[in-house]
Amino acid sequence: MSNRRRHIALIDVNNFYVSCERVFNPKLNGRPVVVLSNNDGCAVARSDEAKRLGIPMGAPWFKFEAFAKQNQILALSSNYALYADMSNRVMRILSQFCPDQEIYSIDECFLDLTHFQHLDLDDYTQKMRQTIQQWTGLPISIGLGASKTLAKLANYQAKKQHHLAGVCNFNQFPPTILDQIMMSIPHTQIWGIGKKLARRLSNEYKIATAYDLKRANPNQLRRQFSVLMEQTVLELNGIACIELEQTKAAKKQILSSRSFGIPVTDKESLAESLTLHISRAANKLRQQESVCSTLYVSIRTSPFKSSEPLYHGYRCVALNTPTNDTRKLLKVALIILKEIYIPGRRYAKAGIALGDITTTEQQHPYLFEEKQAITDTRIMNLLDDINKHIGRDSLKIAREGFKHPWKMKQEHKTPSYTTGWHSLLRVS
C-alpha cells in the first residue's frame, strides 16, 4: 500500500462490440444496434440509441424481436474474432503511450501515468483518444484518479458528462469539488460494489453515493464485510491499495461450451462438438504452457422445453498423467460421452472443463513414457504452429467433422473483416 499521489488512468472503448461493427459499416452510425450473445440468445452490447429505447443488458432477444422490428433496431450476431483483433490493436497502441499497462478486459485497460505527471495529462490523454480514433476508428473514454477505483469512477463521469470531451481527471479537482461530484454518483457505480452489496450498504449503513462510502469507517466495514471493502473505502480517499497487474495470470480452469443451433440427438454430432471444445481448450492450455489433471464433460437437454424430459449428463475424471495433448484429452472425453449419452434425448448443449491446471515445468512424466511425451509435445507444437501461420483450423482432429449442422445460430454475423482474406472490404 502506498500513500504517494498516483495518476492512474482507466481507458474504456465505448459500446465496444457495436463500435467495432460501426468501424466497418458506417451506415450503422446513429441507428439503434444491439449485438447478441452466442446462438443469438441475449443482448450483450447496445448502442446509445438502443439504450435510450429501453433495451436492457442481457435481454432475451426472442422477447424483444417484435419491439425491435417496430423501432428499426438492428440486431447482429456476435463476431468475437473481429472484437478480439480490434481489442489487440487498441491495447498495442495504448502500450506505446505508457508501458505500465494492465489489460483488464477486452475493452478496458489501466495505465499508470504517474511517471508522466511532468506532462499535461489532459493533453496527453486527449492525444490517446485522437490516436485510437484515427488509427482504429473506435471511440474511447478515459478516467484519471489517484487509485484504480477513482479512475473507474472518473471514467463513468467522462461518459456521462459530454462537455468533458471523453476525459475526466479527478486529480485536477479541488477536494471540495471532487466531493460534490462523488455525491452525484450512485454507490452502485463503484468498482466492486454489486447489487447485493449495494443493497446491504443502503439498508444497513444508509450509504447511497460514492461520497457516502468515502466517508464511511474502513475498519468497521472491514469487520462487517471484508478487507476488499476496506480497500475500496481507502481507494475512494485517494490511497492506492490495488496495484496494476501487468502480468496476465495463468487460468486455473479452462471452460469451453456452446448451445447447439438445432437439437442434437445422435452421439456422432455430440462427439464432434466435444472434439471441437477439447481442441479449443487444449490449445489455450498449451499457449499458457500448462497441463491439466482433471477433465469434466457435460451434455444436457434444454431446460426451457417443458414438454421434454430434462437430462443433464456429466462426469469429472482424474487423468492418469497431467497433459495438454488434444488427442489424449479427446480419448477420455469420448469414453465419458459413451457413459453419459442416452439415446432419444434432444440435446441442447455440450461442453468440457479442464481443471487442476499446473505449469508444464511441474510436470514429471513417468520414466518409460518420457521419450513418447517428447514426441507428443512436438506433434502438438507443430499443430499449433501450422494453425498460427496458415490460419485457425487449417489442421485439426478429423473427429471434429467439417459440416457441423448443429453449430450455433449466427444468422446476423458480419464478415471477419480483419481475420479472413475472403472477408476483406472491397473498394469499387
Side-chain angles (χ1 to χ4, degrees):
M1 187 184 300
S2 171
N3 288 325
R4 74 189 175 99
R5 180 80 156 184
R6 301 282 291 276
H7 297 269
I8 297 173
L10 186 276
I11 295 93
D12 182 20
V13 183
N14 302 340
N15 305 323
F16 180 57
Y17 293 173
V18 173
S19 295
C20 289
E21 299 287 354
R22 283 175 165 170
V23 169
F24 298 93
N25 185 2
K27 291 180 180 176
L28 299 179
N29 290 329
R31 283 196 62 178
V33 179
V34 299
V35 173
L36 305 176
S37 62
N38 288 331
N39 250 339
D40 294 345
C42 303
V44 292
R46 304 156 296 159
S47 66
D48 288 337
E49 296 82 1
K51 292 175 186 175
R52 285 196 288 272
L53 286 170
I55 301 294
M57 191 68 167
W61 195 240
F62 72 92
K63 292 184 178 179
F64 285 85
E65 280 186 303
F67 179 80
K69 195 172 182 180
Q70 289 172 1
N71 292 276
Q72 297 185 319
I73 300 173
L74 183 64
L76 300 174
S77 303
S78 47
N79 187 343
Y80 292 116
L82 173 66
Y83 309 149
D85 185 62
M86 295 298 286
S87 172
N88 289 334
R89 295 179 188 209
V90 170
M91 299 307 169
R92 274 198 300 271
I93 295 169
L94 291 172
S95 69
Q96 294 174 21
F97 281 90
C98 177
D100 297 325
Q101 179 185 38
E102 175 189 338
I103 299 174
Y104 183 65
S105 66
I106 193 169
D107 61 345
E108 287 181 297
C109 83
F110 289 100
L111 297 178
D112 189 345
L113 297 174
T114 305
H115 297 301
F116 294 81
Q117 58 184 304
H118 59 284
L119 303 176
D120 184 328
L121 290 182
D122 287 344
D123 285 348
Y124 196 60
T125 47
Q126 283 294 353
K127 187 178 177 184
M128 282 185 203
R129 291 189 72 238
Q130 292 161 9
T131 305
I132 296 292
Q133 179 75 51
Q134 185 177 0
W135 292 8
T136 68
L138 295 172
I140 63 172
S141 297
I142 302 177
L144 280 127
S147 66
K148 290 171 78 173
T149 304
L150 285 174
K152 290 277 277 186
L153 273 189
N155 190 281
Y156 170 80
Q157 279 295 97
K159 283 192 174 72
K160 293 291 179 185
Q161 305 297 328
H162 298 295
H163 69 277
L164 296 173
V167 175
C168 179
N169 184 356
F170 275 1
N171 283 348
Q172 71 173 1
F173 296 132
T176 52
I177 300 297
L178 183 55
D179 284 348
Q180 288 177 15
I181 293 172
M182 294 176 75
M183 287 177 196
S184 69
I185 301 177
H187 67 324
T188 51
Q189 296 301 327
I190 300 172
W191 190 31
I193 305 296
K195 289 182 180 177
K196 191 175 178 182
L197 269 180
R199 191 161 48 244
R200 193 175 163 197
L201 287 169
S202 300
N203 294 339
E204 298 179 19
Y205 298 91
K206 308 302 179 191
I207 290 173
T209 68
Y211 177 76
D212 293 339
L213 189 57
K214 176 186 175 182
R215 299 288 294 169
N217 184 324
N219 295 326
Q220 180 187 6
L221 291 187
R222 175 177 179 158
R223 288 193 294 273
Q224 298 301 319
F225 293 88
S226 69
V227 68
L228 296 178
M229 182 63 79
E230 179 192 32
Q231 288 181 343
T232 299
V233 176
L234 294 174
E235 290 240 326
L236 288 172
N237 283 278
I239 302 171
C241 304
I242 308 169
E243 291 299 325
L244 267 66
E245 296 177 10
Q246 298 180 41
T247 303
K248 195 172 182 180
K251 293 182 178 179
K252 299 296 182 185
Q253 187 181 51
I254 296 177
L255 309 173
S256 181
S257 67
R258 292 284 187 280
S259 296
F260 299 125
I262 56 174
V264 167
T265 56
D266 63 297
K267 190 163 63 175
E268 184 62 26
S269 294
L270 290 170
E272 288 183 357
S273 171
L274 290 177
T275 306
L276 176 65
H277 293 310
I278 288 286
S279 298
R280 296 279 189 271
N283 176 256
K284 291 179 181 176
L285 200 59
R286 293 191 291 273
Q287 284 181 351
Q288 67 174 34
E289 298 182 352
S290 299
V291 292
C292 69
S293 297
T294 59
L295 171 63
Y296 171 87
V297 176
S298 163
I299 56 175
R300 69 167 171 79
T301 57
S302 172
F304 305 109
K305 300 281 187 183
S306 56
S307 58
E308 298 177 9
L310 182 63
Y311 174 69
H312 184 193
Y314 58 91
R315 292 281 189 283
C316 182
V317 300
L319 304 172
N320 291 331
T321 308
T323 186
N324 58 19
D325 189 314
T326 303
R327 300 162 303 168
K328 293 177 181 176
L329 291 167
L330 179 60
K331 187 176 180 181
V332 177
L334 294 180
I335 292 172
I336 296 175
L337 174 63
K338 193 175 179 181
E339 295 174 356
I340 61 178
Y341 172 74
I342 297 179
R345 302 293 169 92
R346 288 159 53 87
Y347 295 95
K349 188 174 185 178
I352 64 99
L354 307 181
D356 289 330
I357 292 175
T358 56
T359 64
T360 50
E361 291 178 352
Q362 296 173 286
Q363 183 185 18
H364 299 289
Y366 294 122
L367 176 63
F368 300 109
E369 294 181 352
E370 188 170 2
K371 189 173 180 180
Q372 184 60 42
I374 293 172
T375 302
D376 291 342
T377 300
R378 287 176 176 168
I379 291 173
M380 288 296 103
N381 289 342
L382 181 62
L383 174 73
D384 294 340
D385 287 344
I386 289 173
N387 285 328
K388 183 178 179 182
H389 287 95
I390 301 180
R392 190 180 190 184
D393 292 336
S394 297
L395 190 62
K396 61 183 180 180
I397 304 291
R399 197 74 170 80
E400 188 178 319
F402 296 92
K403 294 183 178 178
H404 300 166
W406 40 265
K407 67 181 181 182
M408 63 182 180
K409 285 193 292 186
Q410 288 184 304
E411 295 176 350
H412 313 288
K413 183 174 176 291
T414 51
S416 304
Y417 299 108
T418 62
T419 55
W421 289 108
H422 61 286
S423 299
L424 285 176
L425 284 177
R426 296 181 181 181
V427 179
S428 57

